[in-house]
């Protein structure tokens, strides 16, 4: 069985500040890990994914995440927040086979000027 | 089309009414998924197709939910005798290809969703 826990339903940062969104996973098989972003009234857009290989993954819009197996974590970071980053962020875990994804409950990122 | 297309975008149904939600995946995509996203929650898996074959329907919440993809492209999610708890966003997603038992890591592309409100 697989599960995802996102710590903090809301995260508030100032424009230009570091963004850190936390994700911990549980998986009985080597996990594939994903971060998706959802803007209001829109679908999910893939930010980045970890499958195998390098544990530091770079994504779109300046985001990156690091897979830490020992901590079962896949936290999302961005050095400097922009107003346009305000959205809902979802962490998801998948495994082998057809990639049924299990999502966390999401973290809403609020960016203030 | 360029992305996954879903229709209708918004649907208001009276309790007890049947609804049908349509998904046009990205052309050539073999895998198709349906997810349900309740307000304030993350998406939850409903069902998966590989071409026309429905390989997993373990997430369908009741026998009132039915999905099909008869020609391996367009898919329809049907909900019979809708209830208020069915109110949610229904997300369709597709990916290029995958093989059972292997780790493909293919990117899954989501549509904008069909927002269903049951009154």
């Amino acid at each position: 069985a697989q599960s995802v826990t996102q710590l903090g339903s809301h995260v508030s940062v100032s424009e230009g500040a570091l963004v850190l969104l936390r994700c911990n996973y549980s998986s009985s098989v080597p996990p594939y890990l994903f971060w998706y972003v959802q803007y209001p009234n829109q679908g999910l857009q893939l930010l980045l994914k970890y499958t195998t290989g390098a544990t530091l993954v770079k994504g779109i819009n300046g985001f990156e995440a690091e897979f830490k197996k020992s901590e079962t974590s896949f936290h999302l970071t961005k050095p400097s927040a922009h107003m346009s980053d305000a959205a809902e962020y979802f962490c998801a875990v998948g495994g082998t086979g057809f990639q049924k994804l299990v999502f966390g409950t999401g973290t809403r990122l609020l960016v203030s000027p | 089309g360029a992305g996954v297309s879903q229709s209708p975008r918004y649907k208001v149904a009276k309790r007890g009414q049947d609804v049908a939600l349509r998904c046009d995946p990205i052309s050539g995509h073999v895998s198709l998924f349906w997810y349900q996203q309740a307000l304030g929650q993350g998406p939850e898996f409903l069902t998966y197709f590989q071409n026309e074959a429905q390989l997993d329907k373990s997430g369908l919440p009741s026998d009132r939910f039915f999905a099909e993809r008869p020609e391996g492209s367009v898919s329809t999610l049907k909900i019979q005798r809708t209830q208020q708890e069915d109110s949610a966003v229904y997300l369709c997603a597709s990916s290029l290809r995958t093989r059972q038992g292997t780790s493909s890591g293919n990117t899954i592309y989501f549509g904008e969703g069909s927002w269903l409100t049951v009154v």
Side-chain angles (χ1 to χ4, degrees):
Chain A
Q2 297 177 309
S3 66
V4 169
T5 301
Q6 291 185 242
L7 298 176
S9 59
H10 292 79
V11 170
S12 295
V13 300
S14 299
E15 193 173 20
L18 171 71
V19 175
L20 171 61
L21 304 182
R22 299 178 186 274
C23 172
N24 288 89
Y25 71 91
S26 173
S27 179
S28 56
V29 297
Y32 287 168
L33 294 160
F34 306 81
W35 275 99
Y36 283 86
V37 61
Q38 187 175 39
Y39 296 99
N41 299 331
Q42 294 189 22
L44 299 171
Q45 180 182 7
L46 181 68
L47 278 177
L48 49 81
K49 65 180 180 182
Y50 168 79
T51 54
T52 59
T55 57
L56 182 62
V57 180
K58 294 186 183 299
I60 62 172
N61 301 338
F63 285 94
E64 62 181 36
E66 185 172 10
F67 170 61
K68 292 187 177 180
K69 184 178 179 180
S70 62
E71 299 178 7
T72 60
S73 69
F74 191 58
H75 301 330
L76 181 70
T77 60
K78 182 174 180 178
S80 177
H82 294 166
M83 296 295 291
S84 59
D85 294 328
E88 188 92 19
Y89 291 79
F90 293 95
C91 181
V93 62
T96 58
F98 62 82
Q99 290 191 331
K100 166 181 166 180
L101 296 180
V102 176
F103 286 85
T105 53
T107 297
R108 182 166 298 277
L109 177 64
L110 306 169
V111 182
S112 57
Chain B
V4 178
S5 178
Q6 293 188 244
S7 61
R9 286 293 319 277
Y10 304 94
K11 175 70 178 178
V12 178
K14 292 183 178 180
R15 189 167 45 187
Q17 186 178 358
D18 296 349
V19 299
L21 307 176
R22 175 188 169 102
C23 173
D24 270 288
I26 295 173
S27 178
H29 278 197
V30 167
S31 298
L32 185 145
F33 309 82
W34 284 99
Y35 285 80
Q36 180 191 57
Q37 185 177 16
L39 187 64
Q41 300 297 316
E44 294 191 355
F45 171 81
L46 293 177
T47 188
Y48 161 71
F49 290 86
Q50 187 170 325
N51 295 307
E52 69 278 3
Q54 189 175 21
L55 299 185
D56 188 326
K57 54 181 181 179
S58 62
L60 295 177
S62 77
D63 58 8
R64 296 186 295 103
F65 286 71
F66 171 77
E68 60 182 4
R69 193 185 185 197
E71 297 179 356
S73 56
V74 171
S75 176
T76 303
L77 176 66
K78 298 179 179 178
I79 309 173
Q80 298 177 323
R81 305 180 303 282
T82 53
Q83 303 294 317
Q84 283 190 317
E85 61 264 28
D86 300 335
S87 296
V89 180
Y90 291 87
L91 295 167
C92 179
S94 69
S95 68
L96 183 59
R97 56 187 285 270
T98 186
R99 288 176 291 172
Q100 282 285 9
T102 65
S103 304
S104 63
N106 286 323
T107 298
I108 299 174
Y109 297 90
F110 282 81
E112 294 188 327
S114 289
W115 296 64
L116 173 64
T117 302
V118 180
V119 297

